[in-house]
Every structure is written in C-alpha cells, then in structure tokens.
Amino acid sequence: MFGLSPEWLLADGVPIADALVLSHPEQLERLQAGCPEAKPSAFLGGDPCYDRILAARVHRERFRRALGSGRASDWCC
C-alpha cells in the first residue's frame, strides 16, 4: 500500500494535504482500509492518460502500421 499509508499521509494524526487526488476507485478503497483519517480529503480525479488511450482505441491499427508492429490481431485479443 505504498503511498496510501498513515506514514505518508499524516502528521501527528492529521492529513498533511488539503486534497488527495486518486485515479481509481480501488485506491480509494485501499485508502479507507489503510488510512481512514485521510479519506475526507480524497477524491477521484481519474487518469487522463488512460482516458486518452481508451479514446484512441479506434486508431489502433493505424498506430500499429505507423510503428511497423503488425496487425493488432497478430498480438492478442
């Protein structure tokens, strides 16, 4: 639970940050389990890099051609 434990998030039992941005609901669950004192300052902000990757899926074949890596169906799924 690196980074979401009391030794990283609290000073004298109080959250050191006014806001803690998390990228995934699973991180919020880990925070609740490991350092519930910091949960009120946490919120889900998402992962913009992951969102862009998902949005670009429609261009997957074009990217693979440009990189010379072959068809996506040759790799997996």
Side-chain angles (χ1 to χ4, degrees):
M1 197 163 97
F2 182 79
L4 295 179
S5 56
E7 55 268 9
W8 286 96
L9 300 172
L10 304 177
D12 298 322
V14 178
I16 60 173
D18 292 331
L20 181 62
V21 182
L22 304 174
S23 61
H24 194 273
E26 181 270 334
Q27 292 173 330
L28 193 57
E29 293 170 10
R30 284 192 297 145
L31 181 67
Q32 174 62 39
C35 188
E37 302 89 344
K39 189 176 179 196
S41 62
F43 68 94
L44 293 173
D47 184 340
C49 293
Y50 183 70
D51 293 342
R52 288 187 71 180
I53 289 170
L54 287 181
R57 285 184 300 180
V58 297
H59 304 293
R60 186 177 189 185
E61 292 296 337
R62 188 179 83 181
F63 294 155
R64 289 190 180 278
R65 278 193 309 276
L67 295 169
S69 63
R71 292 186 343 234
S73 59
D74 293 339
W75 285 84
C76 72
C77 336

